Amino acid sequence: MDESLTLTIGKAEALVLFDLLFGFRDEPHLSIRHDAERVTLWMIEACLEKMLAEPFSDEYQRILEEARERVVTRWGSPPRSPHS
């Protein structure tokens, strides 16, 4: 099992992120519809950058591919959208 990380965000950011991800469920591509969505994603990326050493590793691509495989193995692939 992967180790877990805790990411703390404000309620406003959580609502913006929820709406962005909820809209993505039925669409083949993620669309930024409001500046708040972009800012929230940047904030989360900055938090993750502080928490993760792997993106700075020479082996990052291999580590990322292994992580992708673990996620799909654990959760399955999403159904394909008719748009994709």
Side-chain angles (χ1 to χ4, degrees):
M1 180 173 217
D2 285 334
E3 63 183 287
S4 59
L5 302 173
T6 300
L7 180 68
T8 303
I9 62 174
K11 188 158 188 178
E13 290 82 6
L15 287 168
V16 169
L17 183 60
F18 171 82
D19 189 67
L20 174 66
L21 296 175
F22 185 81
F24 178 56
R25 289 179 353 159
D26 298 323
E27 296 297 324
H29 302 286
L30 187 64
S31 278
I32 302 297
R33 300 168 306 212
H34 192 279
D35 286 345
E37 296 168 343
R38 185 177 308 279
V39 171
T40 298
L41 290 174
W42 284 341
M43 184 261 319
I44 292 170
E45 184 270 336
C47 289
L48 292 172
E49 185 175 6
K50 292 176 187 174
M51 300 168 84
L52 298 170
E54 292 84 354
F56 306 101
S57 168
D58 291 339
E59 299 291 318
Y60 179 61
Q61 286 304 313
R62 181 189 57 76
I63 295 167
L64 177 59
E65 286 304 315
E66 290 173 359
R68 287 175 172 162
E69 287 299 318
R70 285 194 309 273
V71 168
V72 170
T73 298
R74 182 180 304 145
W75 300 103
S77 294
R80 295 290 177 213
S81 165
H83 304 290
S84 59

